[in-house]
Amino acid sequence: MATNYLIGRGELLVDSKEPPAMKPSKANPYTVDEARSRLSPQLESAIAEISESEIAPDDVYVAKFALHPSYVAKSYFPSVLFQAAGLEPVGSRGRRIYPEKHTGKDSDGKEFGTSEIFVAGRLEAFQALHDLMVAPSELPDRYSQIREIEEITSFQPKEKVKAGNGSGPKATYELVVHLPSFSLAPNNRLAFLEYARDLGFEVREDLSFEVQGLWFLPAVGPSERLNEIAAFSTVRVVRPMPLLSVQPAPRTMTGEQPITLPVGQVQSTAPRVAILDGGLPAEHAIGTWVDLYREMDPTAKSSPGYEQHGLAVASAFLFGGIRPGASPAIPPSNISVFRVLDGSTASDDSFELYRTLGHVEEVLLTKSFEFINLSLGPALPIEDDEVHAWTALIDDLLSDGATLMTVAVGNNGRLDHASGNARVQVPGDCVNALAVGASDRADDDWARADYSAIGPGRAPGVVKPDLLAHGGSSEDPFYVIGQGEVPYISGVTGTSLSAPLALRHAVSIRALLGTELSPLAIRALLIHGADQKKLDRREVGWGRIPMLYDQIVTSGDGIARVVYQGVVNPGKYIRAQIPTPRGGLDGKVRFHATFCFASAVDTHSPDVYTRAGLEIVYRPDTDKFTKEAKTAKSAPFFSSAAFATEDELRSDNGKWETVLKGSKNTIGSSATNPVFDIHYVAREEGGASKAKEPMRYALVITVEAKKHINLHTEILDAYPNLLVAIEPDINIEIDSA
């Protein structure tokens, strides 16, 4: 049987499409007058509370406006109302609410998810809005969006303080501050720093990060004054500083075994790969494959434990899981190693979490590497209502889709599931990185390793981990190179190893097939090729990647796999053909599809975190219409249940996911001209966006039709001047690492 590699240039099967007819306007649960009557006393109470209890820079306060659940879609964001009132939305978060009235059937008395918007403004602006609401005259049209608001409340200091173990006069905290526009609050930063110092807090502005309207600052101060610092009006969160999660992988009882490494060979010298970790010990056996070694803080001493961790991570990328008695696999490429963890990290430095993030940022900002692994981060399970500085910064720097970064999800999977303590750890909730958990075995009889953190992630980004890769267990350890100039292997376990193993697959694909595949396309291929085995998605994400990476890029008889790498402009509609042979498809057919894109993010609005979304409609035959319909019949393809709860589905959260994966069984005669209609929707801070930049996407489609033994060739023949086979750049022996 011939080896059929990927079919490329699927984007040439994509054409622009006219937008469909607009849907009629929706029913409103409240009239404008009803909204005025309901909300005016709420706003009056909020004004009284914030003016009495908060310290406000430039007389700017923050209140909370909760949307009615019917209006959480981005097209209903009340931007006109806020602009008319002289108020400024500075962020949002999800919350649960019981609306007083609802337009849906059987909705009375039910709880729904909605968006709670943080709104900044001068006290006089809030008061002017209240005066308009209680005035006898008719409310001007520009204020009509007031009926979209379900509730107005103050933002109390006690809400901002997160529970934790920080206590005493010198506890360490993370302070998160909203950044309204300079025209509204020009003295916000300086006033906060002065106020914090007056309360006895040492705020390290030099280690702070500003990401998309939020200011993240590390600080040391007295725990008894937390409510006072939270009383500063633009403070959003005060929480204990988490520790770094970088425990060296535990050794199993396997002993040490000598090994012979390949002599200076790599599959390709072209890929640019960075390992961000604890560095390497002075004596090790992998120097042949290290192009660059850099200590991000040369003044800091090394930490032997972190160096061993860094060596294990580097070994996992270079050789995969080494099997005792077998020759190690040839590395896919050389690596650059950056020591972002050092002796100061191990010395319990209160601010080291932020120093380490600064080192990570410095590497990412160089844009020198297309492939990066990060097997460390805060020992902090993700939260649904807030985004951590690590996640915010990394997602922001990866938003162009030019870098594939694998991130370990954490080894906290044995902790209590119900409390959320076993959920993926920061930054495993990144929507622009590939979050990798661990399987317990390398063979087909695998399951999630019990230590591997579980999902769900935050919505959007709800499917976390993205993937599993072998991470080892006591029954099937992951063997890595140990410290010393004479190479030997020992068995270890951890998601710190599964993440670089997944990156190894990605770089092996690049080494095999060359630069025709972008990092975004390779990310889509990894997810597309993952096998979920009908296991719980909260535990395994989209599934485990194959142990043989050639299974991702090759196909057998009756199968063809096509890669699309294209761009789409905001608000535009495109139509992607699903390729079929000239005479159509016969018999039973199965389509698999995976969409993947990178998105800019709104850090201050975790409930509407991603700024880009895709509305995708599958149409089996563009020539078949229902009676009086103006568009061809559609059919389900991507299961929305994978992404959201019932009310999140209603609020359109599913389309804001950066990964969509689904499949469809059909009959060839029912899919004579199948297509995906794709609409790129852009939003900003939950509302409509003015963005004009095109978004890059990757789409992988696999067509299976057993009656077409030569399906790969038939599809290439059907599109002779469009589709091409992506042939290997090199001849290598596929390994099973």
Side-chain angles (χ1 to χ4, degrees):
M1 182 179 68
T3 299
N4 296 320
Y5 286 94
L6 301 171
I7 296 174
R9 301 185 187 174
E11 62 274 11
L12 297 181
L13 303 183
V14 177
D15 296 307
S16 59
K17 179 182 176 295
E18 290 298 317
M22 298 300 292
K23 296 180 180 179
S25 59
K26 68 184 298 169
N28 299 300
Y30 306 114
T31 66
V32 172
D33 286 340
E34 285 176 328
R36 294 170 70 177
S37 176
R38 293 181 61 255
L39 297 176
S40 56
Q42 296 180 20
L43 182 55
E44 183 178 19
S45 296
I47 291 171
E49 290 171 1
I50 60 179
S51 60
E52 290 178 1
S53 64
E54 294 196 9
I55 310 300
D58 303 298
D59 198 36
V60 171
Y61 295 85
V62 176
K64 300 181 299 181
F65 284 56
L67 293 175
H68 187 281
S70 297
Y71 298 102
V72 292
K74 67 106 178 177
S75 55
Y76 301 115
F77 190 81
S79 53
V80 175
L81 167 66
F82 294 142
Q83 185 176 7
L87 301 174
E88 187 175 298
V90 292
S92 66
R93 65 185 178 190
R95 62 163 287 191
R96 309 291 297 178
I97 199 168
Y98 290 93
E100 187 177 317
K101 289 176 63 177
H102 209 288
T103 58
K105 294 181 179 179
D106 301 321
S107 297
D108 291 344
K110 290 185 178 180
E111 185 183 40
F112 292 89
T114 190
S115 185
E116 186 172 65
I117 305 168
F118 298 107
V119 180
R122 292 191 171 90
L123 196 62
E124 61 189 32
F126 285 110
Q127 188 62 56
L129 177 60
H130 173 266
D131 293 344
L132 270 175
M133 291 168 65
V134 298
S137 58
E138 186 174 335
L139 200 65
D141 287 345
R142 62 184 182 276
Y143 292 91
S144 62
Q145 287 179 323
I146 195 71
R147 63 189 172 195
E148 299 179 9
I149 308 300
E150 178 64 27
E151 183 180 272
I152 301 174
T153 55
S154 61
F155 191 17
Q156 290 295 305
K158 62 183 179 182
E159 298 178 62
K160 306 176 185 181
V161 179
K162 297 288 186 178
N165 55 9
S167 62
K170 289 291 184 180
T172 310
Y173 299 97
E174 286 185 297
L175 310 176
V176 185
V177 180
H178 282 126
L179 296 175
S181 65
F182 185 79
S183 60
L184 179 62
N187 298 301
N188 182 38
R189 296 171 187 262
L190 182 60
F192 174 71
L193 293 174
E194 291 178 349
Y195 178 68
R197 293 189 187 106
D198 289 344
L199 292 177
F201 284 84
E202 177 194 355
V203 180
R204 292 297 302 271
E205 185 184 8
D206 59 316
L207 297 177
S208 67
F209 292 92
E210 179 185 336
V211 188
Q212 299 293 337
L214 288 183
W215 194 19
F216 298 87
L217 301 112
V220 170
S223 58
E224 66 271 13
R225 309 203 76 170
L226 293 182
N227 283 332
E228 291 178 74
I229 199 168
F232 194 86
S233 63
T234 56
V235 166
R236 173 158 174 162
V237 179
V238 178
R239 59 190 171 207
M241 180 74 74
L243 300 174
L244 270 169
S245 176
V246 200
Q247 297 85 17
R251 290 181 179 272
T252 61
M253 303 301 292
T254 58
E256 300 173 352
Q257 304 178 43
I259 193 76
T260 301
L261 298 178
V263 183
Q265 294 176 295
V266 292
Q267 296 175 20
S268 173
T269 58
R272 305 188 306 275
V273 181
I275 305 295
L276 313 186
D277 214 277
L280 298 171
E283 294 184 352
H284 60 80
I286 66 170
T288 301
W289 298 279
V290 179
D291 278 342
L292 171 69
Y293 183 78
R294 180 182 172 190
E295 297 174 347
M296 299 304 291
D297 182 0
T299 65
K301 295 181 179 180
S302 296
S303 165
Y306 291 152
E307 289 177 335
Q308 291 178 19
H309 187 274
L311 178 60
V313 170
S315 173
F317 172 80
L318 291 172
F319 308 108
I322 302 171
R323 311 311 291 180
S327 298
I330 296 174
S333 70
N334 292 328
I335 57 176
S336 294
V337 176
F338 293 87
R339 191 191 73 177
V340 299
L341 300 171
D342 49 45
S344 61
T345 315
S347 67
D348 199 25
D349 186 324
S350 299
F351 300 117
E352 194 53 40
L353 187 75
Y354 272 66
R355 286 198 182 95
T356 302
L357 181 57
H359 298 331
V360 173
E361 179 189 36
E362 186 176 344
V363 176
L364 288 175
L365 282 173
T366 67
K367 300 294 182 181
S368 298
F369 301 95
E370 293 180 287
F371 303 93
I372 300 176
N373 182 79
L374 186 70
S375 290
L376 55 96
L380 181 70
I382 66 168
E383 300 174 312
D384 289 320
D385 59 348
E386 296 295 342
V387 177
H388 193 274
W390 278 62
T391 300
L393 182 71
I394 291 172
D395 262 338
D396 187 50
L397 293 175
L398 297 179
S399 62
D400 60 1
T403 303
L404 196 166
M405 185 177 196
T406 46
V407 175
V409 299
N411 297 330
N412 53 311
R414 296 191 183 106
L415 299 181
D416 180 59
H417 287 201
S419 66
N421 287 329
R423 288 179 76 181
V424 295
Q425 293 186 334
V426 174
D429 54 338
C430 283
V431 297
N432 292 326
L434 195 66
V436 185
S439 69
D440 58 350
R441 301 185 62 84
D443 58 25
D444 291 338
D445 190 26
W446 63 269
R448 177 186 66 89
D450 62 353
Y451 57 79
S452 183
I454 64 171
R458 186 188 306 105
V462 71
V463 179
K464 294 291 177 181
D466 290 292
L467 300 170
L468 300 189
H470 182 225
S473 62
S474 57
E475 293 78 21
D476 187 11
F478 193 112
Y479 286 88
V480 297
I481 301 295
Q483 181 176 349
E485 294 182 354
V486 178
Y488 67 88
I489 59 172
S490 59
V492 294
T493 63
T495 58
S496 289
L497 310 171
S498 58
L501 178 60
L503 190 68
R504 186 181 201 277
H505 273 45
V507 178
S508 294
I509 292 171
R510 166 57 68 83
L512 179 67
L513 299 179
T515 57
E516 192 161 343
L517 292 176
S518 68
L520 190 62
I522 295 173
R523 178 184 172 195
L525 281 164
L526 292 178
I527 294 172
H528 188 77
D531 178 18
Q532 190 180 338
K533 279 192 6 177
K534 297 183 179 180
L535 297 175
D536 190 338
R537 186 162 287 163
R538 291 172 298 179
E539 296 204 3
V540 303
W542 297 113
R544 196 194 72 170
I545 57 175
M547 288 305 294
L548 294 172
Y549 71 85
D550 69 322
Q551 296 174 11
I552 299 172
V553 297
T554 61
S555 56
D557 292 341
I559 302 174
R561 187 164 296 142
V562 186
V563 180
Y564 302 62
Q565 301 176 90
V567 297
V568 57
N569 291 305
K572 299 300 182 181
Y573 291 78
I574 58 175
R575 171 166 286 177
Q577 295 181 55
I578 299 174
T580 58
R582 280 198 177 98
L585 292 163
D586 297 325
K588 294 181 179 179
V589 176
R590 184 171 177 83
F591 297 128
H592 306 263
T594 302
F595 280 88
C596 193
F597 61 92
S599 172
V601 295
D602 279 324
T603 301
H604 50 41
S605 300
D607 58 320
V608 288
Y609 185 57
T610 51
R611 290 188 178 183
L614 293 179
E615 293 177 326
I616 302 171
V617 178
Y618 166 66
R619 303 190 191 280
D621 188 343
T622 55
D623 296 325
K624 290 185 178 180
F625 294 75
T626 56
K627 188 176 181 180
E628 298 182 358
K630 295 183 179 180
T631 55
K633 291 175 62 175
S634 63
F637 198 100
F638 299 101
S639 172
S640 298
F643 305 107
T645 61
E646 180 181 351
D647 50 275
E648 286 169 337
L649 290 176
R650 180 184 43 74
S651 69
D652 76 10
N653 261 2
K655 73 182 180 186
W656 301 104
E657 298 288 333
T658 56
V659 175
L660 295 169
K661 181 179 179 180
S663 59
K664 181 73 174 179
N665 292 320
T666 187
I667 302 298
S669 58
S670 299
T672 55
N673 190 19
V675 299
F676 286 117
D677 284 345
I678 305 163
H679 177 210
Y680 169 22
V681 188
R683 65 180 175 183
E684 190 169 349
E685 298 179 346
S689 172
K690 297 180 181 179
K692 297 181 180 180
E693 297 80 12
M695 181 185 73
R696 295 191 175 276
Y697 69 89
L699 165 63
V700 182
I701 295 178
T702 297
V703 183
E704 296 183 19
K706 292 183 179 180
K707 288 193 174 183
H708 295 260
I709 299 298
N710 299 314
L711 182 61
H712 182 273
T713 301
E714 289 183 49
I715 285 180
L716 285 173
D717 290 344
Y719 306 89
N721 298 316
L722 299 173
L723 300 182
V724 297
I726 303 177
E727 298 293 342
D729 273 6
I730 54 175
N731 292 317
I732 62 172
E733 182 178 344
I734 303 295
D735 61 73
S736 59

